[in-house]
Each structure stands twice: as structure tokens, then as C-alpha cells.
Amino acid sequence: MDHYDIVIIGAGLAGSLAAIALARNGHRVALIGPKPVIADGRTTALMDQSIEYLKELDLWDETVPLTAPLVAIRIIDDTKRLLRAPPVNFRASEVGLDAFGYNIPNAPFLEILEKHEAGLPTLDRMTAAATTFDLAEEEVRIGVDDGRTITADLVIGADGRRSAVREAAGISVHTWSYPQTAVVLNFGHELPHQDVSTEFHTEAGPFTQVPLPGNRSSLVWVQKPRDADETLKLAPDVLSRAIEDRMQSILGKVTTEGIPQSFPLSGMTARRFGKGRTMLVGEAAHAFPPIGAQGLNLSLRDVMTLVELVGSSTGGRLPADTGDRFDSRRRIDIVSRTASVDLLNRSLLSGFLPVQALRAVGLHLLSSAGPLRGLLMREGIHPGSAIHALKAGLREKISGKSA
């Protein structure tokens, strides 16, 4: 029976990145999960902190040709409500960066990760499904559908919203749903995007264009479920024109690529993010709507934390309380990010006039107040930085008065 330091269940982006990082730290790792039946047509905007981590893992040079930088993010209130906010522009140069991050197509990014996995001698990739779990205090025992049984010091659940690892660990979840469906696709356009992402806020949710290399962009169009079903039925030329009209023709003529995909929107957070020898990362731990490029960036912070917590291999057994320590380390970040995305999404859906007024006032302040906008941008790129900046500012004022 094979024994591993760490077994990771789920071979998507979060699980694959965790496997590569841990194997490069000398741990013997098994990554278990079947290949996706349908290629993921979505893209992911990775922010500066995540890009720096990809560079640490020697993955960036190979990935960068697939990407487009995000030098600016523009928010346009495209609702028809009485109280509307002015456009807000966030520029990376305001916080001393060339770009907030880069937009990466998920499917080719995963192919790059799979190639790197194959080159790591301490990483075993099993394209199978885990079927049984015995999460004992002494070690973890896992049955695989190819007939093997393996053991490990730790197990990481990176197996999505319906995580079998989470269920086996007895960790419950809090779930909620939205009356929304996200339609995702890529499209070509006549005019250059100039590396600017534009997010139109509508009564049904955000309509977000994100740059890809060349005169191409990805789209996340959040709609009411019935409207999303109708959108998926449109002929390519009709859909292209609908997207151009919704974008107010700011990128000229639009031509859609491939077949659009759709995803019902809901939210989920685990009651715990780790327990005993178990840790949860990615959508096994948290899930929310695709707003503000928070999803995979939050998942990568899960990965960064667990890699730091486990450390480099010493040849000894990994502690039985690793999951409990991981839970305490990740709680504030996950809960605060989930709450902020949920609040922003519900503010778009709300027909309650005071809520609309608060949202409009907030965006107006961001539009006119440079320091406040800068704090928000830093917080989005490096979580916790806004609080540190405020503390530093207060200390400077106090020390100035005392002098």
C-alpha cells in the first residue's frame, strides 16, 4: 500500500497548483481526479499577488503568452434606476503597478499545469476518482476506483462545491442561491480594448468584458435564468449584435467565438476550512458569483497558506492538527471576501431605494476621492493592505502631533 505525505482530491486549477507547490517543497504528493469531460470555456483574472506566486512556482513564463494585462478597470452603472452612479475608473498606475493582473483562459492554463505535474518526481497524478475515505487520527486512508488503496498524513479537498472530502470530514456548509445565471464566452471585436476591463452594472447583475490577447475579450454576462436560456439559443450573429449593443459599441463590431456556456449562480461557505488531517481549498471551501475577480485569487491564497503551513519536507510525519490550524489561518480572509461579494451582488439586485442610494453614493465617492479609491485597489490586490495603510497613516499623524 502506497503512503504519501499529502493526497489532493480534485485536479482543477486549485488542486493542480497546490500539488505542484507541495511537490516542489519535497513532499510526496498524490493528485487524484478524472480529466474534465468538457473543456472549461471560462477565463480567470489573476491579480498581482497571484501572478507573483506563479512566478515563484516557475509557471509564469510559459503562461504569459496566453494572457492579457488589466491596466484599468472601468465600472459603468447601466441600470435604468432613478439613482445611478457615475462611471468609476481604477488604474493600476495609481497604485504603482503596470497592471492589476492578467486574464488567463482556464483550459490552456490547466494544460500547462498538467505538463509541469508530469515532470515532478515526487508527484503521482492519478486520473481516477476517490471513492472511500477513512479520516482517522493516525493517518488518512483513501480508496480509488481503479482498485488501489492509499494512505497519507494529510488530505486536501479541492474537489468543488459537492466535495466528497468535506462530506467525509463531517464539515457542513452554508449555502444560498441567486436568481441569476452567468453566460460565459469569448469574442473578437473591431476596436482595441487597450487592456481595459469594463463592467456594466445592470439590474440583473454585471456584464463584464475582460481583455484577452489581440482584439479579443472574454465575457461574463449575468442574467435572469430565463433570459440566459434565451441568450444561449441565439444564432451567433444575433448574439454578437446583442453583445455589441449591451456594450454600447465601445469596442465596435463584435464576433462571438465557439459555443457559450452557462452557470447558475449560488454561494457556499464551509463551516470549517480544515479539521484534523483535512484541509479544504477552492470551491470545496467557498464559492460565490464571478464579481471583482475574487474566486481563484482567493483559492490561491488558500494554497499559499497551506504550503506555508506545511513547509518543506523534513522526512517526518505531518501533524494531525494541521487542518485545525489551517482553518484559523484562513477564516477571516474567506469570510470577509465572501460577505463583500455577496453584498455587492445583492445591492445590484435590490429594488429598495435606500440600498440603491447607498450604492450610488459609494461609487460616487470612489469616482471623486483618489485616496479612497487607492485604498480599495490595494485591498483588492493585497488583502489586509488597506488596514495596514490606515494604521500606518494614524501612526504618522500621532507621531507628528507628539513631535
Side-chain angles (χ1 to χ4, degrees):
M1 188 182 302
D2 289 329
H3 181 84
Y4 296 87
D5 297 325
I6 303 162
V7 171
I8 301 170
I9 309 299
L13 293 176
S16 296
L17 285 162
I20 290 169
L22 291 165
R24 287 191 174 162
N25 274 0
H27 295 287
R28 191 174 181 217
V29 178
L31 176 61
I32 302 175
K35 288 182 176 290
V37 177
I38 300 174
D40 189 346
R42 294 172 294 179
T43 66
T44 298
L46 289 181
M47 296 294 112
D48 180 69
Q49 184 183 34
S50 299
I51 296 300
E52 290 302 315
Y53 194 60
L54 292 186
K55 290 177 181 177
E56 287 182 27
L57 296 177
D58 295 325
L59 297 170
W60 181 239
D61 287 345
E62 196 170 347
T63 305
V64 69
L66 302 171
T67 72
L70 306 178
V71 302
I73 299 171
R74 176 170 50 200
I75 297 176
I76 297 175
D77 189 339
D78 199 29
T79 64
K80 304 299 185 285
R81 292 167 175 162
L82 177 64
L83 298 171
R84 296 174 63 191
V88 182
N89 292 288
F90 301 94
R91 296 197 168 275
S93 58
E94 292 184 71
V95 288
L97 295 174
D98 294 329
F100 290 118
Y102 291 77
N103 193 32
I104 305 173
N106 288 3
F109 183 31
L110 186 58
E111 290 175 4
I112 289 173
L113 300 184
E114 289 172 346
K115 187 176 78 172
H116 281 264
E117 291 161 11
L120 291 168
T122 60
L123 173 56
D124 288 345
R125 173 71 171 95
M126 304 179 190
T127 53
T131 54
T132 62
F133 300 89
D134 180 8
L135 309 181
E137 185 176 349
E138 299 78 19
E139 66 179 11
V140 174
R141 186 183 297 262
I142 298 168
V144 186
D145 68 0
D146 62 6
R148 280 182 287 183
T149 299
I150 61 176
T151 60
D153 293 347
L154 302 176
V155 61
I156 296 170
D159 49 343
R161 296 183 186 220
R162 298 180 179 179
S163 170
V165 174
R166 187 183 64 226
E167 183 177 349
I171 298 173
S172 61
V173 297
H174 171 54
T175 61
W176 61 96
S177 61
Y178 302 96
Q180 298 167 297
T181 295
V183 175
V184 300
L185 56 89
N186 296 335
F187 64 95
H189 39 81
E190 182 181 18
L191 302 176
H193 47 56
Q194 297 180 329
D195 299 329
V196 176
S197 173
T198 302
E199 187 169 303
F200 294 86
H201 285 186
T202 76
E203 291 87 348
F207 174 102
T208 306
Q209 164 266 332
V210 190
L212 286 170
N215 280 13
R216 298 175 61 245
S217 292
S218 62
L219 176 69
V220 179
W221 188 354
V222 176
Q223 300 174 275
K224 295 177 181 178
R226 183 177 298 176
D227 293 338
D229 289 340
E230 293 302 315
T231 297
L232 294 174
K233 296 175 185 175
L234 295 176
D237 59 333
V238 179
L239 177 58
S240 298
R241 185 53 192 262
I243 293 169
E244 180 184 338
D245 290 345
R246 172 60 73 180
M247 293 195 66
Q248 303 171 12
S249 296
I250 63 173
L251 295 177
K253 184 180 179 180
V254 163
T255 305
T256 61
E257 302 174 358
I259 300 173
Q261 296 176 322
S262 67
F263 302 88
L265 296 193
S266 61
M268 182 278 294
T269 183
R271 301 291 185 182
R272 293 179 60 90
F273 309 115
K275 179 181 177 183
R277 295 187 178 276
T278 303
M279 293 178 279
L280 305 176
V281 302
E283 291 198 343
H286 46 76
F288 43 69
I291 295 176
Q294 294 300 310
L296 186 58
N297 290 285
L298 185 63
S299 300
L300 263 174
R301 294 201 294 277
D302 295 338
V303 172
M304 293 178 206
T305 301
L306 74 87
V307 171
E308 180 185 347
L309 194 62
V310 172
S312 297
S313 175
T314 61
R317 299 295 294 269
L318 296 169
D321 66 343
T322 304
D324 301 286
R325 290 185 288 130
F326 179 77
D327 174 68
S328 64
R329 290 274 298 273
R330 292 300 299 139
R331 182 157 297 277
I332 292 176
D333 185 22
I334 292 172
V335 171
S336 63
R337 291 287 146 165
T338 302
S340 62
V341 170
D342 179 61
L343 180 62
L344 178 56
N345 192 43
R346 292 186 189 277
S347 75
L348 283 173
L349 296 173
S350 178
F352 190 43
L353 196 60
V355 173
Q356 295 176 21
L358 283 171
R359 180 178 163 276
V361 168
L363 287 174
H364 180 77
L365 286 172
L366 288 175
S367 176
S368 58
L372 179 61
R373 190 169 59 250
L375 279 175
L376 184 66
M377 287 188 284
R378 290 186 181 91
E379 182 62 23
I381 298 166
H382 295 286
S385 61
I387 295 174
H388 292 311
L390 286 172
K391 287 180 178 178
L394 286 173
R395 281 197 296 267
E396 286 181 10
K397 286 185 178 181
I398 293 170
S399 61
K401 287 180 181 179
S402 61

